[in-house]
Amino acid sequence: VETTRWTNPHCCPCCRLYGCCYIHSGTKENVAFSVRLGNNFPKSGVPITFRDVIYNGQKSYDIMTGIFTCEHPGVYEFQFHCMINKNDASVDLLRNGELIVHSFTTRQNGYITASGNTYVKLQKGDKVWLMANHGSNGLTKDSFFSGHLLFTE
């Protein structure tokens, strides 16, 4: 895998010292998606299918199954923010069926916000999705799920 090194001397102390920074190193693989729930009413206990595509250029997120499939091994960042109306609910981020992040929830004005953000190392073929534990029919259309490749190792 070829990497691109940025050598901006004004970027950070690392770049000034060494002429490049590991954090600012890129790869040729570009993987990113961002999806919104839209007018979908998900069920509890199965992957939430976010159908409104904000960006899915590499088609790594399947809008029919609600599952992101890793094609390029590396470290990924995933984010989600779900608004839930009138129901108690929580949302989990899973990799291959195993819990990665249980949502942080807060209640305000009758809505629950379930959100999370994490970095996770994935191998080719790994699958990542969001799942509502209960109360999923209260998810609002503005709930979203995003992910992108940070770097390969």
Side-chain angles (χ1 to χ4, degrees), residues 93-109:
L93 180 69
L94 295 104
R95 174 185 56 203
N96 301 328
E98 298 292 323
L99 179 68
I100 299 172
V101 173
H102 180 69
S103 63
F104 174 78
T105 57
T106 57
R107 182 183 291 276
Q108 184 176 4
N109 298 328

PDB file of all heavy atoms in Angstrom, residues 93-109:
ATOM      1  N   LEU A  93     -23.362  -0.396  18.623  1.00  0.00           N
ATOM      2  CA  LEU A  93     -22.529  -0.587  17.440  1.00  0.00           C
ATOM      3  C   LEU A  93     -21.879  -1.951  17.582  1.00  0.00           C
ATOM      4  O   LEU A  93     -21.255  -2.238  18.613  1.00  0.00           O
ATOM      5  CB  LEU A  93     -21.470   0.518  17.354  1.00  0.00           C
ATOM      6  CG  LEU A  93     -20.527   0.459  16.162  1.00  0.00           C
ATOM      7  CD1 LEU A  93     -21.283   0.775  14.870  1.00  0.00           C
ATOM      8  CD2 LEU A  93     -19.384   1.453  16.347  1.00  0.00           C
ATOM      9  N   LEU A  94     -22.040  -2.793  16.561  1.00  0.00           N
ATOM     10  CA  LEU A  94     -21.504  -4.152  16.617  1.00  0.00           C
ATOM     11  C   LEU A  94     -20.549  -4.428  15.461  1.00  0.00           C
ATOM     12  O   LEU A  94     -20.715  -3.874  14.375  1.00  0.00           O
ATOM     13  CB  LEU A  94     -22.654  -5.165  16.552  1.00  0.00           C
ATOM     14  CG  LEU A  94     -23.602  -5.119  17.735  1.00  0.00           C
ATOM     15  CD1 LEU A  94     -24.886  -4.439  17.321  1.00  0.00           C
ATOM     16  CD2 LEU A  94     -23.872  -6.491  18.259  1.00  0.00           C
ATOM     17  N   ARG A  95     -19.568  -5.290  15.727  1.00  0.00           N
ATOM     18  CA  ARG A  95     -18.669  -5.811  14.693  1.00  0.00           C
ATOM     19  C   ARG A  95     -18.799  -7.322  14.709  1.00  0.00           C
ATOM     20  O   ARG A  95     -18.533  -7.962  15.728  1.00  0.00           O
ATOM     21  CB  ARG A  95     -17.212  -5.419  14.968  1.00  0.00           C
ATOM     22  CG  ARG A  95     -16.242  -6.084  13.973  1.00  0.00           C
ATOM     23  CD  ARG A  95     -14.785  -5.808  14.278  1.00  0.00           C
ATOM     24  NE  ARG A  95     -14.486  -6.218  15.633  1.00  0.00           N
ATOM     25  CZ  ARG A  95     -13.466  -5.728  16.342  1.00  0.00           C
ATOM     26  NH1 ARG A  95     -12.679  -4.827  15.848  1.00  0.00           N
ATOM     27  NH2 ARG A  95     -13.267  -6.159  17.573  1.00  0.00           N
ATOM     28  N   ASN A  96     -19.221  -7.877  13.587  1.00  0.00           N
ATOM     29  CA  ASN A  96     -19.387  -9.328  13.469  1.00  0.00           C
ATOM     30  C   ASN A  96     -20.232  -9.902  14.605  1.00  0.00           C
ATOM     31  O   ASN A  96     -19.977 -10.992  15.104  1.00  0.00           O
ATOM     32  CB  ASN A  96     -18.020 -10.027  13.413  1.00  0.00           C
ATOM     33  CG  ASN A  96     -17.182  -9.546  12.253  1.00  0.00           C
ATOM     34  OD1 ASN A  96     -17.698  -9.190  11.201  1.00  0.00           O
ATOM     35  ND2 ASN A  96     -15.874  -9.518  12.441  1.00  0.00           N
ATOM     36  N   GLY A  97     -21.238  -9.130  15.045  1.00  0.00           N
ATOM     37  CA  GLY A  97     -22.148  -9.585  16.085  1.00  0.00           C
ATOM     38  C   GLY A  97     -21.687  -9.326  17.505  1.00  0.00           C
ATOM     39  O   GLY A  97     -22.420  -9.612  18.447  1.00  0.00           O
ATOM     40  N   GLU A  98     -20.482  -8.790  17.676  1.00  0.00           N
ATOM     41  CA  GLU A  98     -19.940  -8.504  19.012  1.00  0.00           C
ATOM     42  C   GLU A  98     -20.056  -7.007  19.305  1.00  0.00           C
ATOM     43  O   GLU A  98     -19.766  -6.172  18.444  1.00  0.00           O
ATOM     44  CB  GLU A  98     -18.470  -8.927  19.100  1.00  0.00           C
ATOM     45  CG  GLU A  98     -18.245 -10.416  18.901  1.00  0.00           C
ATOM     46  CD  GLU A  98     -18.807 -11.253  20.040  1.00  0.00           C
ATOM     47  OE1 GLU A  98     -18.730 -10.816  21.207  1.00  0.00           O
ATOM     48  OE2 GLU A  98     -19.336 -12.339  19.755  1.00  0.00           O
ATOM     49  N   LEU A  99     -20.451  -6.674  20.527  1.00  0.00           N
ATOM     50  CA  LEU A  99     -20.622  -5.288  20.938  1.00  0.00           C
ATOM     51  C   LEU A  99     -19.293  -4.526  20.902  1.00  0.00           C
ATOM     52  O   LEU A  99     -18.293  -4.995  21.442  1.00  0.00           O
ATOM     53  CB  LEU A  99     -21.208  -5.227  22.349  1.00  0.00           C
ATOM     54  CG  LEU A  99     -21.419  -3.837  22.934  1.00  0.00           C
ATOM     55  CD1 LEU A  99     -22.523  -3.101  22.172  1.00  0.00           C
ATOM     56  CD2 LEU A  99     -21.769  -3.946  24.414  1.00  0.00           C
ATOM     57  N   ILE A 100     -19.303  -3.363  20.235  1.00  0.00           N
ATOM     58  CA  ILE A 100     -18.147  -2.465  20.252  1.00  0.00           C
ATOM     59  C   ILE A 100     -18.452  -1.286  21.165  1.00  0.00           C
ATOM     60  O   ILE A 100     -17.674  -0.948  22.039  1.00  0.00           O
ATOM     61  CB  ILE A 100     -17.803  -1.932  18.837  1.00  0.00           C
ATOM     62  CG1 ILE A 100     -17.462  -3.060  17.892  1.00  0.00           C
ATOM     63  CG2 ILE A 100     -16.649  -0.942  18.904  1.00  0.00           C
ATOM     64  CD1 ILE A 100     -17.297  -2.599  16.452  1.00  0.00           C
ATOM     65  N   VAL A 101     -19.614  -0.641  20.933  1.00  0.00           N
ATOM     66  CA  VAL A 101     -20.003   0.537  21.711  1.00  0.00           C
ATOM     67  C   VAL A 101     -21.481   0.457  22.055  1.00  0.00           C
ATOM     68  O   VAL A 101     -22.312   0.238  21.169  1.00  0.00           O
ATOM     69  CB  VAL A 101     -19.747   1.845  20.912  1.00  0.00           C
ATOM     70  CG1 VAL A 101     -20.312   3.060  21.645  1.00  0.00           C
ATOM     71  CG2 VAL A 101     -18.276   2.044  20.640  1.00  0.00           C
ATOM     72  N   HIS A 102     -21.800   0.635  23.323  1.00  0.00           N
ATOM     73  CA  HIS A 102     -23.178   0.817  23.754  1.00  0.00           C
ATOM     74  C   HIS A 102     -23.408   2.323  23.803  1.00  0.00           C
ATOM     75  O   HIS A 102     -22.586   3.058  24.330  1.00  0.00           O
ATOM     76  CB  HIS A 102     -23.394   0.182  25.124  1.00  0.00           C
ATOM     77  CG  HIS A 102     -24.781   0.325  25.646  1.00  0.00           C
ATOM     78  ND1 HIS A 102     -25.855  -0.319  25.084  1.00  0.00           N
ATOM     79  CD2 HIS A 102     -25.275   1.068  26.661  1.00  0.00           C
ATOM     80  CE1 HIS A 102     -26.947  -0.001  25.745  1.00  0.00           C
ATOM     81  NE2 HIS A 102     -26.627   0.844  26.708  1.00  0.00           N
ATOM     82  N   SER A 103     -24.522   2.783  23.258  1.00  0.00           N
ATOM     83  CA  SER A 103     -24.759   4.217  23.127  1.00  0.00           C
ATOM     84  C   SER A 103     -24.810   4.926  24.472  1.00  0.00           C
ATOM     85  O   SER A 103     -25.248   4.373  25.477  1.00  0.00           O
ATOM     86  CB  SER A 103     -26.053   4.483  22.372  1.00  0.00           C
ATOM     87  OG  SER A 103     -27.163   3.962  23.089  1.00  0.00           O
ATOM     88  N   PHE A 104     -24.362   6.156  24.424  1.00  0.00           N
ATOM     89  CA  PHE A 104     -24.541   7.079  25.533  1.00  0.00           C
ATOM     90  C   PHE A 104     -25.888   7.749  25.299  1.00  0.00           C
ATOM     91  O   PHE A 104     -26.137   8.260  24.211  1.00  0.00           O
ATOM     92  CB  PHE A 104     -23.411   8.111  25.532  1.00  0.00           C
ATOM     93  CG  PHE A 104     -23.590   9.182  26.561  1.00  0.00           C
ATOM     94  CD1 PHE A 104     -23.298   8.925  27.883  1.00  0.00           C
ATOM     95  CD2 PHE A 104     -24.059  10.431  26.192  1.00  0.00           C
ATOM     96  CE1 PHE A 104     -23.465   9.913  28.843  1.00  0.00           C
ATOM     97  CE2 PHE A 104     -24.232  11.422  27.135  1.00  0.00           C
ATOM     98  CZ  PHE A 104     -23.942  11.159  28.466  1.00  0.00           C
ATOM     99  N   THR A 105     -26.777   7.713  26.273  1.00  0.00           N
ATOM    100  CA  THR A 105     -28.112   8.277  26.056  1.00  0.00           C
ATOM    101  C   THR A 105     -28.383   9.429  27.014  1.00  0.00           C
ATOM    102  O   THR A 105     -27.958   9.407  28.173  1.00  0.00           O
ATOM    103  CB  THR A 105     -29.211   7.210  26.232  1.00  0.00           C
ATOM    104  OG1 THR A 105     -29.096   6.637  27.532  1.00  0.00           O
ATOM    105  CG2 THR A 105     -29.104   6.132  25.186  1.00  0.00           C
ATOM    106  N   THR A 106     -29.084  10.430  26.498  1.00  0.00           N
ATOM    107  CA  THR A 106     -29.558  11.550  27.318  1.00  0.00           C
ATOM    108  C   THR A 106     -31.005  11.830  26.920  1.00  0.00           C
ATOM    109  O   THR A 106     -31.401  11.582  25.788  1.00  0.00           O
ATOM    110  CB  THR A 106     -28.712  12.819  27.105  1.00  0.00           C
ATOM    111  OG1 THR A 106     -28.728  13.161  25.717  1.00  0.00           O
ATOM    112  CG2 THR A 106     -27.280  12.623  27.548  1.00  0.00           C
ATOM    113  N   ARG A 107     -31.787  12.350  27.854  1.00  0.00           N
ATOM    114  CA  ARG A 107     -33.184  12.685  27.576  1.00  0.00           C
ATOM    115  C   ARG A 107     -33.366  14.188  27.700  1.00  0.00           C
ATOM    116  O   ARG A 107     -32.906  14.802  28.644  1.00  0.00           O
ATOM    117  CB  ARG A 107     -34.116  11.982  28.543  1.00  0.00           C
ATOM    118  CG  ARG A 107     -35.588  12.273  28.268  1.00  0.00           C
ATOM    119  CD  ARG A 107     -36.497  11.622  29.288  1.00  0.00           C
ATOM    120  NE  ARG A 107     -36.519  10.184  29.179  1.00  0.00           N
ATOM    121  CZ  ARG A 107     -37.284   9.483  28.349  1.00  0.00           C
ATOM    122  NH1 ARG A 107     -38.083  10.112  27.515  1.00  0.00           N
ATOM    123  NH2 ARG A 107     -37.253   8.182  28.329  1.00  0.00           N
ATOM    124  N   GLN A 108     -34.069  14.762  26.697  1.00  0.00           N
ATOM    125  CA  GLN A 108     -34.360  16.190  26.725  1.00  0.00           C
ATOM    126  C   GLN A 108     -35.631  16.452  25.911  1.00  0.00           C
ATOM    127  O   GLN A 108     -35.735  16.021  24.760  1.00  0.00           O
ATOM    128  CB  GLN A 108     -33.190  16.985  26.146  1.00  0.00           C
ATOM    129  CG  GLN A 108     -33.384  18.475  26.228  1.00  0.00           C
ATOM    130  CD  GLN A 108     -32.155  19.225  25.740  1.00  0.00           C
ATOM    131  OE1 GLN A 108     -31.186  18.644  25.279  1.00  0.00           O
ATOM    132  NE2 GLN A 108     -32.205  20.519  25.851  1.00  0.00           N
ATOM    133  N   ASN A 109     -36.586  17.139  26.499  1.00  0.00           N
ATOM    134  CA  ASN A 109     -37.834  17.524  25.833  1.00  0.00           C
ATOM    135  C   ASN A 109     -38.552  16.346  25.177  1.00  0.00           C
ATOM    136  O   ASN A 109     -39.034  16.446  24.057  1.00  0.00           O
ATOM    137  CB  ASN A 109     -37.581  18.610  24.784  1.00  0.00           C
ATOM    138  CG  ASN A 109     -37.028  19.869  25.396  1.00  0.00           C
ATOM    139  OD1 ASN A 109     -37.357  20.199  26.533  1.00  0.00           O
ATOM    140  ND2 ASN A 109     -36.194  20.576  24.669  1.00  0.00           N
TER     141      ASN A 109
END
